[in-house]
Amino acid sequence: NTDLHRKVKSLRIANTFILFNVFIMNALAIHLYLTIRHINLSFNYFGNFYRIIVTYIPSVLMTDLSEIPNIIAFIRNAWPVSDSTLRRLVELIVRKDFPRRGIIVGANTQCGRAYFIEDGMTRSYWLVDGEEFTTSFSTEGSIVFSMDEVYYGLPSEEYVEAVDPVKAYSIDIPRLMEMIGTDLGLCNWWRKIHQDEYRRIHRSHKERLTLPARERYIEFSKQFPEVCRRARLGDIASYLGITQATLSRIRAQR
């Protein structure tokens, strides 16, 4: 009887241990799913572990193409990327929401992520001696990241902030660069958006040097009507290299 009692007790302890482990694994799975979909867990301390887990999460838990129409439209407007490439891409992206004026990319840091903007608008700027100098705006579908980090492995020199509430999908920069290096369609898309960005910067530089303030704003409003409608007056003035008072007078005259 004593031996039987001991065996029964041992069996109960073993069953309890198994049930406890099942409970813990289920709790971890639920936590990881909610974190990936809604909180965008940072990969600071347990990065390798979570990357392995994320790789093998069933596709049903991943972002669906129907959830990111603006991102897909932006990508395909630049280059006809295939459905199979897009499906591979969405397996790597994680949703991250930012409030109005929330910082997406911080200066003097390396966040390790690039962000596709599904909804909302962002502004990039330098902070010099306490004064903000706007360098660009990005709207739905665009991708924002630190050039310094992506190409030189250095902390960002710019801030990127949400102009209004932003729904973004982030991707680990090394994984993105790996895809760009192995997928011809995505490589051509990457080349084309950089080509377009170079043209924007070149045109902006030329207009600053050759056009008076009023013509500068007119050209800007033709190129970026959404930005004119949604951005703060001071941010637009900063981008154009004029004062907010001057921009107010120009807009009042139109």
Side-chain angles (χ1 to χ4, degrees), residues 193-239:
I193 64 171
H194 280 71
Q195 179 181 312
D196 292 343
E197 181 64 8
Y198 169 78
R199 185 172 185 273
R200 179 195 67 79
I201 294 171
H202 180 77
R203 184 172 181 175
S204 173
H205 186 58
K206 178 183 177 182
E207 289 169 356
R208 278 198 180 202
L209 292 175
T210 62
L211 295 180
R214 185 173 184 277
E215 281 71 19
R216 225 179 299 168
Y217 175 70
I218 291 172
E219 289 302 314
F220 177 81
S221 64
K222 290 177 182 177
Q223 295 175 58
F224 308 107
E226 274 296 294
V227 175
C228 288
R229 186 176 66 83
R230 295 159 63 182
R232 294 185 300 185
L233 201 63
D235 295 339
I236 297 173
S238 173
Y239 177 85

Side-chain angles (χ1 to χ4, degrees), residues 34 46 57 61 72 94 98 102 117 135 146 154 170 186 198 216 218 221 229-230 238 246:
L34 293 175
F46 301 102
I57 289 179
L61 300 183
I72 292 174
V94 179
F98 296 90
I117 309 302
T135 57
S146 165
L154 297 173
S170 75
L186 208 63
Y198 169 78
R216 225 179 299 168
I218 291 172
S221 64
R229 186 176 66 83
R230 295 159 63 182
S238 173
T246 298

Side-chain angles (χ1 to χ4, degrees), residues 2 9 50 62 65 79-80 88 94 97 112 143-144 159 164 166 171 228 237:
T2 302
K9 186 176 181 180
Y50 276 106
M62 298 296 182
L65 290 177
W79 198 264
R88 286 177 55 212
V94 179
D97 295 340
I143 182 171
V144 297
Y159 290 91
D164 41 28
V166 164
I171 183 169
C228 288

Side-chain angles (χ1 to χ4, degrees), residues 35-234:
T35 299
I36 290 170
R37 292 303 294 268
H38 302 295
I39 306 177
N40 187 25
L41 178 69
S42 171
F43 293 117
N44 287 339
Y45 298 102
F46 301 102
N48 292 332
F49 170 76
Y50 276 106
R51 283 191 180 97
I52 292 170
I53 297 297
V54 169
T55 300
Y56 294 100
I57 289 179
S59 60
V60 69
L61 300 183
M62 298 296 182
T63 302
D64 188 83
L65 290 177
S66 63
E67 296 179 36
I68 53 170
N70 292 325
I71 294 170
I72 292 174
F74 172 80
I75 291 173
R76 285 184 164 160
N77 185 55
W79 198 264
V81 175
S82 68
D83 284 347
S84 60
T85 293
L86 291 174
R87 281 193 289 269
R88 286 177 55 212
L89 182 64
V90 300
E91 290 177 357
L92 303 176
I93 61 177
V94 179
R95 179 168 170 177
K96 173 70 175 179
D97 295 340
F98 296 90
R100 186 187 306 274
R101 303 297 160 198
I103 298 298
I104 299 172
V105 176
N108 305 312
T109 63
Q110 291 180 271
C111 70
R113 315 286 292 177
Y115 296 87
F116 291 94
I117 309 302
E118 178 58 28
D119 289 313
M121 186 170 74
T122 68
R123 174 179 74 105
S124 300
Y125 64 93
W126 293 317
L127 185 63
V128 181
D129 295 331
E131 184 177 356
E132 296 178 5
F133 294 86
T134 301
T135 57
S136 65
F137 297 92
S138 298
T139 54
E140 282 80 4
S142 303
I143 182 171
V144 297
F145 54 89
S146 165
M147 287 272 192
D148 303 290
E149 184 173 0
V150 168
Y151 294 116
Y152 306 107
L154 297 173
S156 176
E157 294 185 0
E158 283 184 313
Y159 290 91
V160 180
E161 72 166 6
V163 173
D164 41 28
V166 164
K167 179 171 77 173
Y169 287 84
S170 75
I171 183 169
D172 184 56
I173 287 175
R175 300 294 294 276
L176 174 63
M177 299 310 293
E178 180 183 353
M179 275 200 73
I180 290 167
T182 56
D183 188 287
L184 182 60
L186 208 63
C187 180
N188 278 318
W189 162 75
W190 189 250
R191 172 187 58 80
K192 182 61 165 58
I193 64 171
H194 280 71
Q195 179 181 312
D196 292 343
E197 181 64 8
Y198 169 78
R199 185 172 185 273
R200 179 195 67 79
I201 294 171
H202 180 77
R203 184 172 181 175
S204 173
H205 186 58
K206 178 183 177 182
E207 289 169 356
R208 278 198 180 202
L209 292 175
T210 62
L211 295 180
R214 185 173 184 277
E215 281 71 19
R216 225 179 299 168
Y217 175 70
I218 291 172
E219 289 302 314
F220 177 81
S221 64
K222 290 177 182 177
Q223 295 175 58
F224 308 107
E226 274 296 294
V227 175
C228 288
R229 186 176 66 83
R230 295 159 63 182
R232 294 185 300 185
L233 201 63

